Amino acid sequence: MDKKDIKNFTLEELKEEFKKISEPSYRAKQIFSWIYKKGAEDFNAMNNIPKLFMDKLAESYYIGAVKPLKQLESIDGTEKILFELDDGILIETVLICSNKRKTACISTQAGCKYACVFCASGMNGFKRDLSVSEILSQALFLEHRLKHDITNFVFMGMGEPFDNYENVSRTIKIMNSPEAMAVAARRITVSTSGIIPGIEKFKELGLQVNLSISLHAANNELRDRLMSVNKIYPLEKLIKACEDYMNNGGRMLTLEYIVFKDINDSQKDINDLSKIAKRLKAKVNLIPYSEVCSVNFKSSLKKDVKDFEDGLLKKGINVTIRESKGKDIMAACGQLAGNPA
Ligand code: SAH
């Protein structure tokens, strides 16, 4: 019989598993504590677990892990880790440090189906969804192997989180669970290119997790050109889904907007974007474009982004500019490609 990766189970599911082998449910809590609070990577490390049970566990389960192949550090302190998965697939995870925060930027898929024209993650196509264990292992590696005190977790690495909805939502439940990582929901952010069924389901998760929408264009004609996902979920439907999300108790939305010089930074763009942001009572987060080879866009100048911000401020929009970090190690937004070491 194939062994199961124990990190793919929620606490409730693990309790059920143990019931089948006549073990009390508190054992599931103990295992959770070892894996998620103490970072155990081996059943043998769990010294309050009876040997007999440990052997039983090791017969049917294993503790999945991601293998670090390469670690890079940027001059600004950003770290990028290239991981190899069990089947040889490569993914990347980023740690971004600022004064008060240590943010882990986690991948949810190897490659991406949506292939936005400005993003490296989909340029080599889509490989596969990551499992719950593979997503969690990225965070655990940063916390327990590299000993970082992570304050925030953002699902903004490789892939489209809502195209791997089941695994991403289960991962969030485990991260948030007091018996596991106990990460407060408001410290977790999911970013989506606008997959409407995901936005609809996300409300039902019942957690105050932050949701960001990668908008990048305030009209369909441009959004179609920049993001193929818009042809499936066009702007007006996306905005309606966001509105429903907000009306059903969703936390404040953030609209992400990369400022592309002479492409989406006109006064008309400011007007259109303001209308959307007002309708959704959303915050706008401007992202400077990070250069990706083989794409013909120019890096955003600070001044251009600032001018665009001023335009939005004049319209009364709550707007911030994302600090772009890790460019020298290709770790900034949209630069993660999972290329071999
Ligand atoms: N697929 C999800 C998760 C990726 S999050 C999404 O689209 O939201 C990464 C964020 O960085 C998204 O807002 C994405 O659009 C943005 N991004 C992608 N390529 C970029 C680039 N070259 N420069 C700046 N931001 C980029």
PDB file of all heavy atoms in Angstrom, residues 118-119 155-157 159-161 191-193 214 216 256 258 287-290 292 333-334, ligand 1:
ATOM      1  N   PHE A 118       2.707  39.675 -18.935  1.00  0.00           N
ATOM      2  CA  PHE A 118       3.792  40.362 -18.226  1.00  0.00           C
ATOM      3  C   PHE A 118       4.425  39.501 -17.126  1.00  0.00           C
ATOM      4  O   PHE A 118       5.279  39.965 -16.388  1.00  0.00           O
ATOM      5  CB  PHE A 118       3.239  41.641 -17.594  1.00  0.00           C
ATOM      6  CG  PHE A 118       1.919  41.413 -16.878  1.00  0.00           C
ATOM      7  CD1 PHE A 118       1.890  40.867 -15.621  1.00  0.00           C
ATOM      8  CD2 PHE A 118       0.721  41.689 -17.514  1.00  0.00           C
ATOM      9  CE1 PHE A 118       0.684  40.609 -14.981  1.00  0.00           C
ATOM     10  CE2 PHE A 118      -0.497  41.447 -16.886  1.00  0.00           C
ATOM     11  CZ  PHE A 118      -0.513  40.901 -15.611  1.00  0.00           C
ATOM     12  N   CYS A 119       3.976  38.272 -16.960  1.00  0.00           N
ATOM     13  CA  CYS A 119       4.384  37.458 -15.798  1.00  0.00           C
ATOM     14  C   CYS A 119       5.200  36.241 -16.224  1.00  0.00           C
ATOM     15  O   CYS A 119       4.839  35.546 -17.180  1.00  0.00           O
ATOM     16  CB  CYS A 119       3.129  37.022 -15.042  1.00  0.00           C
ATOM     17  SG  CYS A 119       3.482  36.004 -13.597  1.00  0.00           S
ATOM     18  N   PHE A 155      -0.285  34.367  -0.753  1.00  0.00           N
ATOM     19  CA  PHE A 155      -0.326  33.383  -1.831  1.00  0.00           C
ATOM     20  C   PHE A 155      -0.163  34.151  -3.136  1.00  0.00           C
ATOM     21  O   PHE A 155      -1.099  34.376  -3.886  1.00  0.00           O
ATOM     22  CB  PHE A 155      -1.636  32.594  -1.773  1.00  0.00           C
ATOM     23  CG  PHE A 155      -1.705  31.676  -0.589  1.00  0.00           C
ATOM     24  CD1 PHE A 155      -2.190  32.113   0.639  1.00  0.00           C
ATOM     25  CD2 PHE A 155      -1.240  30.370  -0.680  1.00  0.00           C
ATOM     26  CE1 PHE A 155      -2.225  31.273   1.738  1.00  0.00           C
ATOM     27  CE2 PHE A 155      -1.270  29.517   0.423  1.00  0.00           C
ATOM     28  CZ  PHE A 155      -1.758  29.981   1.630  1.00  0.00           C
ATOM     29  N   MET A 156       1.082  34.583  -3.355  1.00  0.00           N
ATOM     30  CA  MET A 156       1.391  35.415  -4.520  1.00  0.00           C
ATOM     31  C   MET A 156       2.630  34.906  -5.242  1.00  0.00           C
ATOM     32  O   MET A 156       3.303  35.639  -5.962  1.00  0.00           O
ATOM     33  CB  MET A 156       1.637  36.876  -4.087  1.00  0.00           C
ATOM     34  CG  MET A 156       0.434  37.562  -3.489  1.00  0.00           C
ATOM     35  SD  MET A 156       0.728  39.326  -3.320  1.00  0.00           S
ATOM     36  CE  MET A 156      -0.734  39.857  -2.444  1.00  0.00           C
ATOM     37  N   GLY A 157       2.954  33.663  -5.013  1.00  0.00           N
ATOM     38  CA  GLY A 157       4.101  33.083  -5.705  1.00  0.00           C
ATOM     39  C   GLY A 157       3.657  32.541  -7.059  1.00  0.00           C
ATOM     40  O   GLY A 157       2.754  33.096  -7.692  1.00  0.00           O
ATOM     41  N   GLY A 159       1.753  30.516  -9.844  1.00  0.00           N
ATOM     42  CA  GLY A 159       0.459  29.867  -9.989  1.00  0.00           C
ATOM     43  C   GLY A 159      -0.734  30.732  -9.647  1.00  0.00           C
ATOM     44  O   GLY A 159      -0.595  31.854  -9.168  1.00  0.00           O
ATOM     45  N   GLU A 160      -1.897  30.181  -9.916  1.00  0.00           N
ATOM     46  CA  GLU A 160      -3.154  30.873  -9.645  1.00  0.00           C
ATOM     47  C   GLU A 160      -3.850  30.126  -8.492  1.00  0.00           C
ATOM     48  O   GLU A 160      -4.362  29.020  -8.683  1.00  0.00           O
ATOM     49  CB  GLU A 160      -4.006  30.864 -10.928  1.00  0.00           C
ATOM     50  CG  GLU A 160      -5.440  31.293 -10.754  1.00  0.00           C
ATOM     51  CD  GLU A 160      -5.647  32.567  -9.930  1.00  0.00           C
ATOM     52  OE1 GLU A 160      -5.049  33.604 -10.240  1.00  0.00           O
ATOM     53  OE2 GLU A 160      -6.421  32.505  -8.951  1.00  0.00           O
ATOM     54  N   PRO A 161      -3.853  30.726  -7.290  1.00  0.00           N
ATOM     55  CA  PRO A 161      -4.394  30.022  -6.116  1.00  0.00           C
ATOM     56  C   PRO A 161      -5.812  29.483  -6.312  1.00  0.00           C
ATOM     57  O   PRO A 161      -6.114  28.367  -5.885  1.00  0.00           O
ATOM     58  CB  PRO A 161      -4.392  31.089  -5.026  1.00  0.00           C
ATOM     59  CG  PRO A 161      -3.450  32.137  -5.478  1.00  0.00           C
ATOM     60  CD  PRO A 161      -3.351  32.070  -6.958  1.00  0.00           C
ATOM     61  N   SER A 191      -4.091  36.167  -3.562  1.00  0.00           N
ATOM     62  CA  SER A 191      -4.210  37.036  -4.731  1.00  0.00           C
ATOM     63  C   SER A 191      -4.706  36.205  -5.907  1.00  0.00           C
ATOM     64  O   SER A 191      -4.175  35.123  -6.177  1.00  0.00           O
ATOM     65  CB  SER A 191      -2.842  37.643  -5.052  1.00  0.00           C
ATOM     66  OG  SER A 191      -2.922  38.430  -6.212  1.00  0.00           O
ATOM     67  N   THR A 192      -5.721  36.700  -6.596  1.00  0.00           N
ATOM     68  CA  THR A 192      -6.226  35.969  -7.758  1.00  0.00           C
ATOM     69  C   THR A 192      -6.266  36.865  -8.987  1.00  0.00           C
ATOM     70  O   THR A 192      -6.493  38.073  -8.883  1.00  0.00           O
ATOM     71  CB  THR A 192      -7.639  35.387  -7.504  1.00  0.00           C
ATOM     72  OG1 THR A 192      -8.080  34.713  -8.690  1.00  0.00           O
ATOM     73  CG2 THR A 192      -8.657  36.457  -7.129  1.00  0.00           C
ATOM     74  N   SER A 193      -6.083  36.237 -10.136  1.00  0.00           N
ATOM     75  CA  SER A 193      -6.170  36.980 -11.397  1.00  0.00           C
ATOM     76  C   SER A 193      -7.631  37.242 -11.747  1.00  0.00           C
ATOM     77  O   SER A 193      -7.912  37.919 -12.730  1.00  0.00           O
ATOM     78  CB  SER A 193      -5.487  36.179 -12.499  1.00  0.00           C
ATOM     79  OG  SER A 193      -6.098  34.914 -12.602  1.00  0.00           O
ATOM     80  N   SER A 214      -5.963  40.858  -8.960  1.00  0.00           N
ATOM     81  CA  SER A 214      -5.017  41.428  -9.928  1.00  0.00           C
ATOM     82  C   SER A 214      -5.821  42.040 -11.062  1.00  0.00           C
ATOM     83  O   SER A 214      -6.250  41.332 -11.967  1.00  0.00           O
ATOM     84  CB  SER A 214      -4.101  40.329 -10.471  1.00  0.00           C
ATOM     85  OG  SER A 214      -3.261  39.870  -9.448  1.00  0.00           O
ATOM     86  N   HIS A 216      -5.099  45.287 -12.992  1.00  0.00           N
ATOM     87  CA  HIS A 216      -4.128  45.727 -14.007  1.00  0.00           C
ATOM     88  C   HIS A 216      -4.692  46.469 -15.212  1.00  0.00           C
ATOM     89  O   HIS A 216      -3.933  47.029 -16.005  1.00  0.00           O
ATOM     90  CB  HIS A 216      -3.253  44.565 -14.486  1.00  0.00           C
ATOM     91  CG  HIS A 216      -2.589  43.804 -13.374  1.00  0.00           C
ATOM     92  ND1 HIS A 216      -2.121  44.416 -12.232  1.00  0.00           N
ATOM     93  CD2 HIS A 216      -2.333  42.466 -13.210  1.00  0.00           C
ATOM     94  CE1 HIS A 216      -1.605  43.500 -11.430  1.00  0.00           C
ATOM     95  NE2 HIS A 216      -1.728  42.320 -11.987  1.00  0.00           N
ATOM     96  N   GLU A 256      -5.037  45.063  -7.188  1.00  0.00           N
ATOM     97  CA  GLU A 256      -3.632  45.228  -7.567  1.00  0.00           C
ATOM     98  C   GLU A 256      -3.580  45.793  -8.985  1.00  0.00           C
ATOM     99  O   GLU A 256      -4.342  45.373  -9.867  1.00  0.00           O
ATOM    100  CB  GLU A 256      -2.905  43.881  -7.519  1.00  0.00           C
ATOM    101  CG  GLU A 256      -2.847  43.290  -6.116  1.00  0.00           C
ATOM    102  CD  GLU A 256      -2.514  41.814  -6.141  1.00  0.00           C
ATOM    103  OE1 GLU A 256      -3.420  41.013  -6.472  1.00  0.00           O
ATOM    104  OE2 GLU A 256      -1.372  41.461  -5.853  1.00  0.00           O
ATOM    105  N   ILE A 258      -0.634  46.971 -11.787  1.00  0.00           N
ATOM    106  CA  ILE A 258       0.736  47.259 -12.240  1.00  0.00           C
ATOM    107  C   ILE A 258       0.650  48.485 -13.129  1.00  0.00           C
ATOM    108  O   ILE A 258      -0.210  48.543 -14.017  1.00  0.00           O
ATOM    109  CB  ILE A 258       1.324  46.098 -13.070  1.00  0.00           C
ATOM    110  CG1 ILE A 258       1.272  44.782 -12.297  1.00  0.00           C
ATOM    111  CG2 ILE A 258       2.752  46.403 -13.498  1.00  0.00           C
ATOM    112  CD1 ILE A 258       1.645  43.564 -13.140  1.00  0.00           C
ATOM    113  N   ILE A 287       1.574  48.445  -8.260  1.00  0.00           N
ATOM    114  CA  ILE A 287       2.788  47.620  -8.304  1.00  0.00           C
ATOM    115  C   ILE A 287       3.687  48.138  -9.418  1.00  0.00           C
ATOM    116  O   ILE A 287       3.244  48.247 -10.560  1.00  0.00           O
ATOM    117  CB  ILE A 287       2.447  46.131  -8.586  1.00  0.00           C
ATOM    118  CG1 ILE A 287       1.323  45.627  -7.683  1.00  0.00           C
ATOM    119  CG2 ILE A 287       3.681  45.251  -8.467  1.00  0.00           C
ATOM    120  CD1 ILE A 287       0.911  44.175  -7.941  1.00  0.00           C
ATOM    121  N   PRO A 288       4.939  48.479  -9.093  1.00  0.00           N
ATOM    122  CA  PRO A 288       5.861  48.837 -10.179  1.00  0.00           C
ATOM    123  C   PRO A 288       6.116  47.585 -11.021  1.00  0.00           C
ATOM    124  O   PRO A 288       6.233  46.489 -10.466  1.00  0.00           O
ATOM    125  CB  PRO A 288       7.139  49.265  -9.440  1.00  0.00           C
ATOM    126  CG  PRO A 288       6.775  49.345  -7.998  1.00  0.00           C
ATOM    127  CD  PRO A 288       5.580  48.483  -7.778  1.00  0.00           C
ATOM    128  N   TYR A 289       6.163  47.728 -12.316  1.00  0.00           N
ATOM    129  CA  TYR A 289       6.400  46.564 -13.178  1.00  0.00           C
ATOM    130  C   TYR A 289       7.831  46.059 -12.994  1.00  0.00           C
ATOM    131  O   TYR A 289       8.782  46.829 -13.048  1.00  0.00           O
ATOM    132  CB  TYR A 289       6.152  46.952 -14.646  1.00  0.00           C
ATOM    133  CG  TYR A 289       6.599  45.890 -15.612  1.00  0.00           C
ATOM    134  CD1 TYR A 289       5.946  44.659 -15.656  1.00  0.00           C
ATOM    135  CD2 TYR A 289       7.683  46.091 -16.461  1.00  0.00           C
ATOM    136  CE1 TYR A 289       6.367  43.657 -16.513  1.00  0.00           C
ATOM    137  CE2 TYR A 289       8.104  45.101 -17.337  1.00  0.00           C
ATOM    138  CZ  TYR A 289       7.440  43.889 -17.349  1.00  0.00           C
ATOM    139  OH  TYR A 289       7.868  42.899 -18.194  1.00  0.00           O
ATOM    140  N   SER A 290       7.985  44.758 -12.756  1.00  0.00           N
ATOM    141  CA  SER A 290       9.330  44.180 -12.668  1.00  0.00           C
ATOM    142  C   SER A 290       9.642  43.549 -14.015  1.00  0.00           C
ATOM    143  O   SER A 290       8.828  42.798 -14.550  1.00  0.00           O
ATOM    144  CB  SER A 290       9.391  43.065 -11.624  1.00  0.00           C
ATOM    145  OG  SER A 290       8.598  43.362 -10.532  1.00  0.00           O
ATOM    146  N   VAL A 292      10.665  41.296 -16.956  1.00  0.00           N
ATOM    147  CA  VAL A 292      10.693  39.860 -17.187  1.00  0.00           C
ATOM    148  C   VAL A 292      11.263  39.707 -18.587  1.00  0.00           C
ATOM    149  O   VAL A 292      10.796  40.385 -19.508  1.00  0.00           O
ATOM    150  CB  VAL A 292       9.241  39.310 -17.123  1.00  0.00           C
ATOM    151  CG1 VAL A 292       9.160  37.908 -17.644  1.00  0.00           C
ATOM    152  CG2 VAL A 292       8.686  39.405 -15.710  1.00  0.00           C
ATOM    153  N   CYS A 333       7.656  40.567  -7.801  1.00  0.00           N
ATOM    154  CA  CYS A 333       6.351  40.135  -8.314  1.00  0.00           C
ATOM    155  C   CYS A 333       6.460  39.716  -9.772  1.00  0.00           C
ATOM    156  O   CYS A 333       6.988  40.474 -10.593  1.00  0.00           O
ATOM    157  CB  CYS A 333       5.345  41.278  -8.278  1.00  0.00           C
ATOM    158  SG  CYS A 333       4.925  41.821  -6.658  1.00  0.00           S
ATOM    159  N   GLY A 334       5.965  38.564 -10.094  1.00  0.00           N
ATOM    160  CA  GLY A 334       5.888  38.139 -11.486  1.00  0.00           C
ATOM    161  C   GLY A 334       7.174  37.615 -12.076  1.00  0.00           C
ATOM    162  O   GLY A 334       7.219  37.235 -13.240  1.00  0.00           O
TER     163      GLY A 334
HETATM  164  N1  SAH B   1      -2.057  34.340 -10.092  1.00  0.00           N
HETATM  165  C1  SAH B   1      -2.290  35.191  -8.967  1.00  0.00           C
HETATM  166  C2  SAH B   1      -1.149  35.137  -8.013  1.00  0.00           C
HETATM  167  C3  SAH B   1       0.119  35.812  -8.504  1.00  0.00           C
HETATM  168  S1  SAH B   1       0.374  37.117  -7.430  1.00  0.00           S
HETATM  169  C4  SAH B   1      -2.632  36.587  -9.422  1.00  0.00           C
HETATM  170  O1  SAH B   1      -2.553  36.836 -10.630  1.00  0.00           O
HETATM  171  O2  SAH B   1      -3.044  37.402  -8.624  1.00  0.00           O
HETATM  172  C5  SAH B   1       1.565  38.022  -8.165  1.00  0.00           C
HETATM  173  C6  SAH B   1       1.177  39.482  -8.429  1.00  0.00           C
HETATM  174  O3  SAH B   1       2.237  40.041  -9.185  1.00  0.00           O
HETATM  175  C7  SAH B   1      -0.083  39.595  -9.302  1.00  0.00           C
HETATM  176  O4  SAH B   1      -0.782  40.765  -9.020  1.00  0.00           O
HETATM  177  C8  SAH B   1       0.552  39.674 -10.658  1.00  0.00           C
HETATM  178  O5  SAH B   1      -0.318  40.185 -11.628  1.00  0.00           O
HETATM  179  C9  SAH B   1       1.746  40.558 -10.393  1.00  0.00           C
HETATM  180  N2  SAH B   1       2.767  40.459 -11.427  1.00  0.00           N
HETATM  181  C10 SAH B   1       2.940  39.494 -12.348  1.00  0.00           C
HETATM  182  N3  SAH B   1       3.976  39.797 -13.158  1.00  0.00           N
HETATM  183  C11 SAH B   1       4.472  40.971 -12.739  1.00  0.00           C
HETATM  184  C12 SAH B   1       5.547  41.790 -13.162  1.00  0.00           C
HETATM  185  N4  SAH B   1       6.325  41.439 -14.163  1.00  0.00           N
HETATM  186  N5  SAH B   1       5.757  42.948 -12.487  1.00  0.00           N
HETATM  187  C13 SAH B   1       5.003  43.290 -11.425  1.00  0.00           C
HETATM  188  N6  SAH B   1       3.978  42.548 -10.983  1.00  0.00           N
HETATM  189  C14 SAH B   1       3.709  41.408 -11.627  1.00  0.00           C
END
